[in-house]
PDB file of all heavy atoms in Angstrom:
ATOM      1  N   ASN K  38      -5.936  -1.514   0.758  1.00  0.00           N
ATOM      2  CA  ASN K  38      -6.371  -1.530  -0.637  1.00  0.00           C
ATOM      3  C   ASN K  38      -5.748  -0.380  -1.422  1.00  0.00           C
ATOM      4  O   ASN K  38      -5.342  -0.552  -2.574  1.00  0.00           O
ATOM      5  CB  ASN K  38      -7.893  -1.466  -0.731  1.00  0.00           C
ATOM      6  CG  ASN K  38      -8.546  -2.745  -0.252  1.00  0.00           C
ATOM      7  OD1 ASN K  38      -7.922  -3.800  -0.208  1.00  0.00           O
ATOM      8  ND2 ASN K  38      -9.807  -2.662   0.123  1.00  0.00           N
ATOM      9  N   ALA K  39      -5.671   0.803  -0.811  1.00  0.00           N
ATOM     10  CA  ALA K  39      -5.077   1.963  -1.486  1.00  0.00           C
ATOM     11  C   ALA K  39      -3.592   1.744  -1.747  1.00  0.00           C
ATOM     12  O   ALA K  39      -3.098   2.027  -2.846  1.00  0.00           O
ATOM     13  CB  ALA K  39      -5.289   3.224  -0.643  1.00  0.00           C
ATOM     14  N   ILE K  40      -2.877   1.224  -0.765  1.00  0.00           N
ATOM     15  CA  ILE K  40      -1.446   0.965  -0.934  1.00  0.00           C
ATOM     16  C   ILE K  40      -1.219  -0.124  -1.982  1.00  0.00           C
ATOM     17  O   ILE K  40      -0.326  -0.006  -2.828  1.00  0.00           O
ATOM     18  CB  ILE K  40      -0.800   0.604   0.417  1.00  0.00           C
ATOM     19  CG1 ILE K  40      -0.742   1.862   1.296  1.00  0.00           C
ATOM     20  CG2 ILE K  40       0.587   0.007   0.235  1.00  0.00           C
ATOM     21  CD1 ILE K  40      -0.326   1.606   2.720  1.00  0.00           C
ATOM     22  N   ASP K  41      -2.026  -1.166  -1.958  1.00  0.00           N
ATOM     23  CA  ASP K  41      -1.907  -2.223  -2.967  1.00  0.00           C
ATOM     24  C   ASP K  41      -2.159  -1.683  -4.370  1.00  0.00           C
ATOM     25  O   ASP K  41      -1.464  -2.060  -5.320  1.00  0.00           O
ATOM     26  CB  ASP K  41      -2.870  -3.369  -2.666  1.00  0.00           C
ATOM     27  CG  ASP K  41      -2.437  -4.219  -1.480  1.00  0.00           C
ATOM     28  OD1 ASP K  41      -1.260  -4.100  -1.055  1.00  0.00           O
ATOM     29  OD2 ASP K  41      -3.273  -4.992  -0.975  1.00  0.00           O
ATOM     30  N   ALA K  42      -3.134  -0.779  -4.509  1.00  0.00           N
ATOM     31  CA  ALA K  42      -3.423  -0.186  -5.820  1.00  0.00           C
ATOM     32  C   ALA K  42      -2.244   0.652  -6.304  1.00  0.00           C
ATOM     33  O   ALA K  42      -1.878   0.605  -7.494  1.00  0.00           O
ATOM     34  CB  ALA K  42      -4.689   0.668  -5.740  1.00  0.00           C
ATOM     35  N   ILE K  43      -1.626   1.400  -5.412  1.00  0.00           N
ATOM     36  CA  ILE K  43      -0.458   2.210  -5.775  1.00  0.00           C
ATOM     37  C   ILE K  43       0.694   1.311  -6.200  1.00  0.00           C
ATOM     38  O   ILE K  43       1.327   1.541  -7.245  1.00  0.00           O
ATOM     39  CB  ILE K  43      -0.042   3.128  -4.600  1.00  0.00           C
ATOM     40  CG1 ILE K  43      -1.075   4.232  -4.408  1.00  0.00           C
ATOM     41  CG2 ILE K  43       1.340   3.721  -4.839  1.00  0.00           C
ATOM     42  CD1 ILE K  43      -0.895   5.023  -3.129  1.00  0.00           C
ATOM     43  N   LEU K  44       0.965   0.285  -5.422  1.00  0.00           N
ATOM     44  CA  LEU K  44       2.065  -0.625  -5.755  1.00  0.00           C
ATOM     45  C   LEU K  44       1.814  -1.354  -7.069  1.00  0.00           C
ATOM     46  O   LEU K  44       2.751  -1.574  -7.847  1.00  0.00           O
ATOM     47  CB  LEU K  44       2.295  -1.620  -4.611  1.00  0.00           C
ATOM     48  CG  LEU K  44       2.821  -1.015  -3.304  1.00  0.00           C
ATOM     49  CD1 LEU K  44       2.881  -2.067  -2.209  1.00  0.00           C
ATOM     50  CD2 LEU K  44       4.175  -0.354  -3.507  1.00  0.00           C
ATOM     51  N   ASP K  45       0.564  -1.714  -7.337  1.00  0.00           N
ATOM     52  CA  ASP K  45       0.227  -2.347  -8.617  1.00  0.00           C
ATOM     53  C   ASP K  45       0.500  -1.405  -9.793  1.00  0.00           C
ATOM     54  O   ASP K  45       0.992  -1.832 -10.835  1.00  0.00           O
ATOM     55  CB  ASP K  45      -1.236  -2.796  -8.648  1.00  0.00           C
ATOM     56  CG  ASP K  45      -1.478  -4.058  -7.830  1.00  0.00           C
ATOM     57  OD1 ASP K  45      -0.501  -4.768  -7.519  1.00  0.00           O
ATOM     58  OD2 ASP K  45      -2.651  -4.326  -7.511  1.00  0.00           O
ATOM     59  N   GLN K  46       0.177  -0.133  -9.619  1.00  0.00           N
ATOM     60  CA  GLN K  46       0.433   0.846 -10.676  1.00  0.00           C
ATOM     61  C   GLN K  46       1.932   1.027 -10.903  1.00  0.00           C
ATOM     62  O   GLN K  46       2.373   1.205 -12.033  1.00  0.00           O
ATOM     63  CB  GLN K  46      -0.212   2.197 -10.339  1.00  0.00           C
ATOM     64  CG  GLN K  46      -1.708   2.210 -10.444  1.00  0.00           C
ATOM     65  CD  GLN K  46      -2.183   1.976 -11.872  1.00  0.00           C
ATOM     66  OE1 GLN K  46      -1.650   2.530 -12.814  1.00  0.00           O
ATOM     67  NE2 GLN K  46      -3.176   1.122 -12.015  1.00  0.00           N
ATOM     68  N   LEU K  47       2.694   0.988  -9.841  1.00  0.00           N
ATOM     69  CA  LEU K  47       4.142   1.189  -9.959  1.00  0.00           C
ATOM     70  C   LEU K  47       4.850  -0.024 -10.566  1.00  0.00           C
ATOM     71  O   LEU K  47       5.992   0.093 -11.010  1.00  0.00           O
ATOM     72  CB  LEU K  47       4.748   1.530  -8.601  1.00  0.00           C
ATOM     73  CG  LEU K  47       4.392   2.919  -8.071  1.00  0.00           C
ATOM     74  CD1 LEU K  47       4.939   3.105  -6.663  1.00  0.00           C
ATOM     75  CD2 LEU K  47       4.915   4.011  -8.991  1.00  0.00           C
ATOM     76  N   LYS K  48       4.186  -1.166 -10.623  1.00  0.00           N
ATOM     77  CA  LYS K  48       4.775  -2.334 -11.283  1.00  0.00           C
ATOM     78  C   LYS K  48       4.962  -2.081 -12.773  1.00  0.00           C
ATOM     79  O   LYS K  48       5.827  -2.677 -13.403  1.00  0.00           O
ATOM     80  CB  LYS K  48       3.902  -3.572 -11.067  1.00  0.00           C
ATOM     81  CG  LYS K  48       3.980  -4.123  -9.662  1.00  0.00           C
ATOM     82  CD  LYS K  48       3.079  -5.325  -9.496  1.00  0.00           C
ATOM     83  CE  LYS K  48       3.120  -5.818  -8.056  1.00  0.00           C
ATOM     84  NZ  LYS K  48       2.160  -6.913  -7.822  1.00  0.00           N
ATOM     85  N   ASP K  49       4.135  -1.193 -13.327  1.00  0.00           N
ATOM     86  CA  ASP K  49       4.209  -0.867 -14.760  1.00  0.00           C
ATOM     87  C   ASP K  49       5.318   0.130 -15.057  1.00  0.00           C
ATOM     88  O   ASP K  49       5.585   0.422 -16.220  1.00  0.00           O
ATOM     89  CB  ASP K  49       2.873  -0.304 -15.258  1.00  0.00           C
ATOM     90  CG  ASP K  49       1.739  -1.313 -15.121  1.00  0.00           C
ATOM     91  OD1 ASP K  49       2.028  -2.526 -15.126  1.00  0.00           O
ATOM     92  OD2 ASP K  49       0.582  -0.886 -14.994  1.00  0.00           O
ATOM     93  N   GLY K  50       5.939   0.708 -14.046  1.00  0.00           N
ATOM     94  CA  GLY K  50       7.016   1.670 -14.236  1.00  0.00           C
ATOM     95  C   GLY K  50       6.822   2.889 -13.354  1.00  0.00           C
ATOM     96  O   GLY K  50       5.810   3.037 -12.667  1.00  0.00           O
ATOM     97  N   ALA K  51       7.818   3.773 -13.408  1.00  0.00           N
ATOM     98  CA  ALA K  51       7.804   4.976 -12.575  1.00  0.00           C
ATOM     99  C   ALA K  51       6.661   5.905 -12.976  1.00  0.00           C
ATOM    100  O   ALA K  51       6.364   6.056 -14.160  1.00  0.00           O
ATOM    101  CB  ALA K  51       9.138   5.700 -12.702  1.00  0.00           C
ATOM    102  N   GLN K  52       6.027   6.513 -11.979  1.00  0.00           N
ATOM    103  CA  GLN K  52       4.907   7.429 -12.216  1.00  0.00           C
ATOM    104  C   GLN K  52       4.947   8.567 -11.212  1.00  0.00           C
ATOM    105  O   GLN K  52       5.515   8.440 -10.133  1.00  0.00           O
ATOM    106  CB  GLN K  52       3.575   6.685 -12.092  1.00  0.00           C
ATOM    107  CG  GLN K  52       3.376   5.609 -13.138  1.00  0.00           C
ATOM    108  CD  GLN K  52       2.006   4.986 -13.033  1.00  0.00           C
ATOM    109  OE1 GLN K  52       1.034   5.663 -12.713  1.00  0.00           O
ATOM    110  NE2 GLN K  52       1.919   3.698 -13.294  1.00  0.00           N
ATOM    111  N   THR K  53       4.287   9.669 -11.572  1.00  0.00           N
ATOM    112  CA  THR K  53       4.182  10.813 -10.674  1.00  0.00           C
ATOM    113  C   THR K  53       2.983  10.627  -9.746  1.00  0.00           C
ATOM    114  O   THR K  53       2.108   9.791 -10.001  1.00  0.00           O
ATOM    115  CB  THR K  53       3.991  12.127 -11.458  1.00  0.00           C
ATOM    116  OG1 THR K  53       2.750  12.059 -12.164  1.00  0.00           O
ATOM    117  CG2 THR K  53       5.140  12.381 -12.409  1.00  0.00           C
ATOM    118  N   ILE K  54       2.931  11.425  -8.711  1.00  0.00           N
ATOM    119  CA  ILE K  54       1.819  11.332  -7.751  1.00  0.00           C
ATOM    120  C   ILE K  54       0.481  11.673  -8.414  1.00  0.00           C
ATOM    121  O   ILE K  54      -0.492  10.943  -8.222  1.00  0.00           O
ATOM    122  CB  ILE K  54       2.102  12.180  -6.504  1.00  0.00           C
ATOM    123  CG1 ILE K  54       3.208  11.499  -5.700  1.00  0.00           C
ATOM    124  CG2 ILE K  54       0.853  12.364  -5.653  1.00  0.00           C
ATOM    125  CD1 ILE K  54       3.682  12.223  -4.488  1.00  0.00           C
TER     126      ILE K  54
END
Side-chain angles (χ1 to χ4, degrees):
N38 290 339
I40 289 171
D41 287 346
I43 289 169
L44 293 174
D45 284 342
Q46 288 296 316
L47 289 175
K48 287 179 183 175
D49 298 334
Q52 296 184 35
T53 63
I54 289 176

